[in-house]
Amino acid sequence: MASGSRHGRSFPMNVLAMRLFSGYSHNIWLLIIASALFTGAYLGMTLYEAIETYGEALLGSDIMERFGTRFPLIIKFLDASNVLGEQIHLEDDFDCKTSHVIVERGANTQTFIFACRHFAMERLDLREDHALDLDGKRFYVLSQIEGSSRVVAGESVEMLRAGNSCLLPAALESVRLEPQGNAALLKMYVPDLMANIVEPLRARGVSDADIVGLGGHTGLNDLGYSVCR
């Protein structure tokens, strides 16, 4: 059985990801993180039990430093064809329109959709294999929105089909996404704005104004502070 020990604690590599099950309530698809189950030998373990067991190997060093063992994301899929009700809480004069940034990576396209210090989201449109390099500092959540993809880490493989989501533990180091035909996924995480957003996009020639546009027109947009550093 392969295992990872980047953080001094072995994390089972035969468990690539935690499956996040969807529950339906008030016309909203909600990923019920508290009741998520591990696959394989860890079936029945909740996310919170996994955090207590694996800590930094699961969440990442940066996430543990910022949030401790508290899982920092609540992930919801909203059915925008119906009234959203009380599930959305916006500040006054909030304008969530962002200026997307598109990066071409061979036959694949990476679209930066939104970023602030507590949450970032990208869309990956894949026609060929795509590598994700995890640095041990944060976990990632993938949601398949079109087609299907194999998620490969060492000898561990998970198949994601449209509507499926999984959590990639920080200790995995390297993950390969293998689209089965054309596929699209959402990649979500708690970023280091400089390391994960500003510096990579600057290296691609993206202007600071376009980078700041990823945060929307709101007082919650703190990308302006990051690009001025």
Side-chain angles (χ1 to χ4, degrees):
M1 176 189 304
S3 63
S5 57
R6 182 204 295 270
H7 303 292
R9 176 156 194 138
S10 179
F11 189 91
M13 291 295 103
N14 67 320
V15 181
L16 172 66
M18 182 174 295
R19 291 186 183 276
L20 302 178
F21 291 92
S22 297
Y24 190 72
S25 175
H26 303 297
N27 295 324
I28 292 171
W29 285 102
L30 171 64
L31 298 180
I32 309 175
I33 293 177
S35 61
L37 304 179
F38 268 97
T39 58
Y42 297 88
L43 184 67
M45 180 181 287
T46 69
L47 176 55
Y48 296 107
E49 290 170 341
I51 290 173
E52 290 298 319
T53 302
Y54 298 108
E56 189 173 305
L58 176 59
L59 295 180
S61 58
D62 183 59
I63 302 304
M64 288 285 288
E65 181 178 345
R66 293 167 63 179
F67 302 99
T69 57
R70 180 170 60 89
F71 194 74
L73 294 180
I74 297 176
I75 302 171
K76 299 181 180 181
F77 287 111
L78 303 178
D79 182 357
S81 65
N82 292 290
V83 177
L84 297 180
E86 298 179 356
Q87 297 294 325
I88 299 294
H89 310 282
L90 302 180
E91 61 177 291
D92 292 338
D93 301 321
F94 182 84
D95 182 354
C96 62
K97 294 179 181 177
T98 64
S99 301
H100 299 174
V101 175
I102 299 174
V103 175
E104 301 292 340
R105 296 186 177 276
N108 299 331
T109 301
Q110 178 183 17
T111 303
F112 290 79
I113 296 173
F114 179 81
C116 69
R117 68 180 178 275
H118 296 305
F119 180 71
M121 181 167 65
E122 304 169 17
R123 174 180 169 129
L124 303 174
D125 287 280
L126 306 182
R127 295 175 177 269
E128 61 186 19
D129 291 2
H130 178 78
L132 297 176
D133 293 322
L134 282 67
D135 58 9
K137 295 182 178 180
R138 69 202 72 256
F139 66 90
Y140 293 88
V141 174
L142 299 177
S143 291
Q144 189 84 32
I145 57 174
E146 294 178 12
S148 60
S149 302
R150 282 165 39 100
V151 186
V152 182
E155 298 177 357
S156 183
V157 179
E158 285 286 336
M159 177 67 76
L160 292 184
R161 295 177 174 83
N164 293 159
S165 298
C166 70
L167 185 153
L168 304 179
L172 287 181
E173 299 186 5
S174 180
V175 174
R176 186 174 71 257
L177 303 180
E178 300 178 350
Q180 308 300 290
N182 294 341
L185 305 94
L186 297 179
K187 171 186 169 187
M188 296 162 282
Y189 54 101
V190 178
D192 175 318
L193 286 178
M194 285 301 297
N196 300 125
I197 306 296
V198 177
E199 291 174 352
L201 291 181
R202 280 177 171 170
R204 288 274 178 169
V206 178
S207 71
D208 284 355
D210 286 341
I211 294 173
V212 172
L214 287 169
H217 303 285
T218 167
L220 298 177
N221 185 351
D222 37 28
L223 275 167
Y225 297 103
S226 296
V227 299
C228 291
R229 288 166 57 183

Short mmCIF file of all heavy atoms in Angstrom, two decimals, residues 125-150:
data_model
loop_
_atom_site.label_atom_id
_atom_site.label_comp_id
_atom_site.label_asym_id
_atom_site.label_seq_id
_atom_site.Cartn_x
_atom_site.Cartn_y
_atom_site.Cartn_z
N ASP A 125 -11.28 22.94 -18.51
CA ASP A 125 -11.85 22.29 -19.69
C ASP A 125 -10.75 21.44 -20.30
O ASP A 125 -9.75 21.97 -20.80
CB ASP A 125 -12.36 23.33 -20.68
CG ASP A 125 -13.63 24.01 -20.20
OD1 ASP A 125 -14.71 23.41 -20.34
OD2 ASP A 125 -13.54 25.13 -19.66
N LEU A 126 -10.93 20.12 -20.26
CA LEU A 126 -9.86 19.20 -20.58
C LEU A 126 -10.15 18.39 -21.84
O LEU A 126 -11.24 17.85 -22.01
CB LEU A 126 -9.63 18.23 -19.41
CG LEU A 126 -9.37 18.86 -18.03
CD1 LEU A 126 -9.13 17.78 -17.00
CD2 LEU A 126 -8.21 19.84 -18.08
N ARG A 127 -9.14 18.33 -22.69
CA ARG A 127 -9.15 17.45 -23.86
C ARG A 127 -8.02 16.43 -23.78
O ARG A 127 -8.01 15.44 -24.51
CB ARG A 127 -8.99 18.28 -25.15
CG ARG A 127 -10.17 19.21 -25.43
CD ARG A 127 -9.88 20.08 -26.66
NE ARG A 127 -11.01 20.93 -27.00
CZ ARG A 127 -11.98 20.60 -27.83
NH1 ARG A 127 -11.95 19.41 -28.41
NH2 ARG A 127 -12.97 21.42 -28.08
N GLU A 128 -7.04 16.70 -22.90
CA GLU A 128 -5.92 15.79 -22.69
C GLU A 128 -5.58 15.79 -21.21
O GLU A 128 -6.10 16.58 -20.43
CB GLU A 128 -4.72 16.23 -23.53
CG GLU A 128 -4.20 17.61 -23.20
CD GLU A 128 -3.10 18.08 -24.13
OE1 GLU A 128 -2.98 17.51 -25.24
OE2 GLU A 128 -2.36 19.02 -23.76
N ASP A 129 -4.68 14.88 -20.81
CA ASP A 129 -4.32 14.76 -19.40
C ASP A 129 -3.82 16.09 -18.83
O ASP A 129 -3.17 16.87 -19.53
CB ASP A 129 -3.24 13.69 -19.21
CG ASP A 129 -3.76 12.29 -19.49
OD1 ASP A 129 -4.95 12.16 -19.85
OD2 ASP A 129 -2.97 11.34 -19.37
N HIS A 130 -4.13 16.31 -17.57
CA HIS A 130 -3.77 17.56 -16.91
C HIS A 130 -3.20 17.23 -15.53
O HIS A 130 -3.82 16.50 -14.75
CB HIS A 130 -5.00 18.46 -16.77
CG HIS A 130 -4.74 19.76 -16.07
ND1 HIS A 130 -4.14 20.83 -16.69
CD2 HIS A 130 -5.01 20.15 -14.79
CE1 HIS A 130 -4.06 21.84 -15.84
NE2 HIS A 130 -4.58 21.46 -14.68
N ALA A 131 -2.02 17.76 -15.22
CA ALA A 131 -1.36 17.48 -13.94
C ALA A 131 -1.70 18.56 -12.92
O ALA A 131 -1.72 19.75 -13.23
CB ALA A 131 0.15 17.42 -14.13
N LEU A 132 -1.97 18.13 -11.69
CA LEU A 132 -2.15 19.03 -10.56
C LEU A 132 -1.02 18.75 -9.58
O LEU A 132 -0.85 17.62 -9.12
CB LEU A 132 -3.49 18.79 -9.86
CG LEU A 132 -4.76 19.05 -10.67
CD1 LEU A 132 -5.98 18.66 -9.82
CD2 LEU A 132 -4.85 20.52 -11.06
N ASP A 133 -0.23 19.77 -9.26
CA ASP A 133 0.86 19.61 -8.30
C ASP A 133 0.43 20.20 -6.97
O ASP A 133 0.22 21.41 -6.85
CB ASP A 133 2.13 20.30 -8.81
CG ASP A 133 2.69 19.62 -10.05
OD1 ASP A 133 2.65 18.38 -10.10
OD2 ASP A 133 3.15 20.33 -10.95
N LEU A 134 0.28 19.34 -5.96
CA LEU A 134 -0.08 19.79 -4.63
C LEU A 134 1.20 20.06 -3.84
O LEU A 134 2.13 19.25 -3.88
CB LEU A 134 -0.95 18.75 -3.92
CG LEU A 134 -2.43 18.71 -4.34
CD1 LEU A 134 -2.61 18.25 -5.77
CD2 LEU A 134 -3.23 17.82 -3.40
N ASP A 135 1.25 21.18 -3.15
CA ASP A 135 2.46 21.57 -2.44
C ASP A 135 2.42 21.26 -0.95
O ASP A 135 3.30 21.65 -0.20
CB ASP A 135 2.75 23.06 -2.64
CG ASP A 135 1.61 23.95 -2.16
OD1 ASP A 135 0.67 23.44 -1.53
OD2 ASP A 135 1.68 25.17 -2.41
N GLY A 136 1.39 20.53 -0.51
CA GLY A 136 1.29 20.19 0.89
C GLY A 136 0.70 21.29 1.76
O GLY A 136 0.51 21.10 2.96
N LYS A 137 0.35 22.42 1.15
CA LYS A 137 -0.13 23.55 1.94
C LYS A 137 -1.64 23.65 2.00
O LYS A 137 -2.19 24.33 2.87
CB LYS A 137 0.44 24.86 1.38
CG LYS A 137 1.95 24.96 1.51
CD LYS A 137 2.46 26.30 0.98
CE LYS A 137 3.96 26.40 1.15
NZ LYS A 137 4.48 27.70 0.64
N ARG A 138 -2.34 22.97 1.05
CA ARG A 138 -3.80 23.09 1.01
C ARG A 138 -4.40 21.89 0.27
O ARG A 138 -3.75 21.26 -0.57
CB ARG A 138 -4.21 24.39 0.33
CG ARG A 138 -3.94 24.49 -1.15
CD ARG A 138 -3.88 25.93 -1.63
NE ARG A 138 -2.64 26.56 -1.16
CZ ARG A 138 -2.58 27.43 -0.16
NH1 ARG A 138 -3.68 27.81 0.46
NH2 ARG A 138 -1.42 27.94 0.22
N PHE A 139 -5.63 21.58 0.61
CA PHE A 139 -6.40 20.57 -0.09
C PHE A 139 -7.14 21.24 -1.25
O PHE A 139 -7.25 22.47 -1.33
CB PHE A 139 -7.41 19.89 0.85
CG PHE A 139 -8.49 20.83 1.33
CD1 PHE A 139 -9.66 20.97 0.62
CD2 PHE A 139 -8.32 21.58 2.48
CE1 PHE A 139 -10.66 21.86 1.04
CE2 PHE A 139 -9.30 22.46 2.92
CZ PHE A 139 -10.47 22.61 2.19
N TYR A 140 -7.67 20.43 -2.15
CA TYR A 140 -8.48 20.92 -3.26
C TYR A 140 -9.76 20.09 -3.35
O TYR A 140 -9.76 18.91 -3.01
CB TYR A 140 -7.72 20.84 -4.59
CG TYR A 140 -6.54 21.76 -4.67
CD1 TYR A 140 -5.28 21.35 -4.22
CD2 TYR A 140 -6.66 23.05 -5.18
CE1 TYR A 140 -4.19 22.20 -4.27
CE2 TYR A 140 -5.58 23.90 -5.25
CZ TYR A 140 -4.35 23.48 -4.78
OH TYR A 140 -3.27 24.32 -4.83
N VAL A 141 -10.83 20.72 -3.80
CA VAL A 141 -12.08 20.02 -4.09
C VAL A 141 -12.32 20.09 -5.59
O VAL A 141 -12.23 21.17 -6.19
CB VAL A 141 -13.27 20.63 -3.33
CG1 VAL A 141 -14.58 19.98 -3.76
CG2 VAL A 141 -13.08 20.47 -1.82
N LEU A 142 -12.60 18.96 -6.20
CA LEU A 142 -12.94 18.88 -7.62
C LEU A 142 -14.39 18.51 -7.78
O LEU A 142 -14.89 17.60 -7.09
CB LEU A 142 -12.08 17.84 -8.33
CG LEU A 142 -10.56 18.03 -8.35
CD1 LEU A 142 -9.91 16.84 -9.04
CD2 LEU A 142 -10.18 19.34 -9.03
N SER A 143 -15.09 19.17 -8.69
CA SER A 143 -16.47 18.82 -9.03
C SER A 143 -16.56 18.66 -10.53
O SER A 143 -16.23 19.58 -11.29
CB SER A 143 -17.45 19.90 -8.57
OG SER A 143 -17.54 19.94 -7.15
N GLN A 144 -16.97 17.48 -10.96
CA GLN A 144 -17.13 17.21 -12.39
C GLN A 144 -18.45 17.82 -12.86
O GLN A 144 -19.51 17.50 -12.32
CB GLN A 144 -17.13 15.71 -12.64
CG GLN A 144 -17.08 15.31 -14.10
CD GLN A 144 -15.66 15.30 -14.64
OE1 GLN A 144 -14.72 15.01 -13.92
NE2 GLN A 144 -15.52 15.60 -15.92
N ILE A 145 -18.40 18.71 -13.85
CA ILE A 145 -19.63 19.34 -14.32
C ILE A 145 -20.00 18.93 -15.74
O ILE A 145 -21.15 19.11 -16.15
CB ILE A 145 -19.53 20.88 -14.22
CG1 ILE A 145 -18.34 21.42 -14.99
CG2 ILE A 145 -19.49 21.32 -12.76
CD1 ILE A 145 -18.28 22.94 -15.04
N GLU A 146 -19.05 18.39 -16.49
CA GLU A 146 -19.35 17.87 -17.83
C GLU A 146 -18.47 16.66 -18.08
O GLU A 146 -17.29 16.65 -17.72
CB GLU A 146 -19.08 18.93 -18.90
CG GLU A 146 -19.98 20.14 -18.86
CD GLU A 146 -19.65 21.17 -19.92
OE1 GLU A 146 -18.85 20.83 -20.83
OE2 GLU A 146 -20.15 22.29 -19.84
N GLY A 147 -19.04 15.65 -18.73
CA GLY A 147 -18.26 14.47 -19.09
C GLY A 147 -17.82 13.69 -17.87
O GLY A 147 -18.45 13.72 -16.81
N SER A 148 -16.69 12.98 -18.00
CA SER A 148 -16.14 12.20 -16.89
C SER A 148 -14.62 12.24 -16.95
O SER A 148 -14.03 12.47 -18.01
CB SER A 148 -16.64 10.75 -16.95
OG SER A 148 -16.26 10.13 -18.17
N SER A 149 -14.00 12.01 -15.80
CA SER A 149 -12.54 12.07 -15.71
C SER A 149 -12.04 11.03 -14.72
O SER A 149 -12.68 10.77 -13.70
CB SER A 149 -12.07 13.46 -15.23
OG SER A 149 -12.51 14.49 -16.08
N ARG A 150 -10.89 10.46 -15.03
CA ARG A 150 -10.16 9.63 -14.06
C ARG A 150 -9.24 10.54 -13.26
O ARG A 150 -8.52 11.36 -13.83
CB ARG A 150 -9.35 8.55 -14.78
CG ARG A 150 -10.17 7.37 -15.25
CD ARG A 150 -9.42 6.51 -16.25
NE ARG A 150 -8.01 6.34 -15.96
CZ ARG A 150 -7.48 5.25 -15.38
NH1 ARG A 150 -8.27 4.25 -15.01
NH2 ARG A 150 -6.19 5.16 -15.18
#
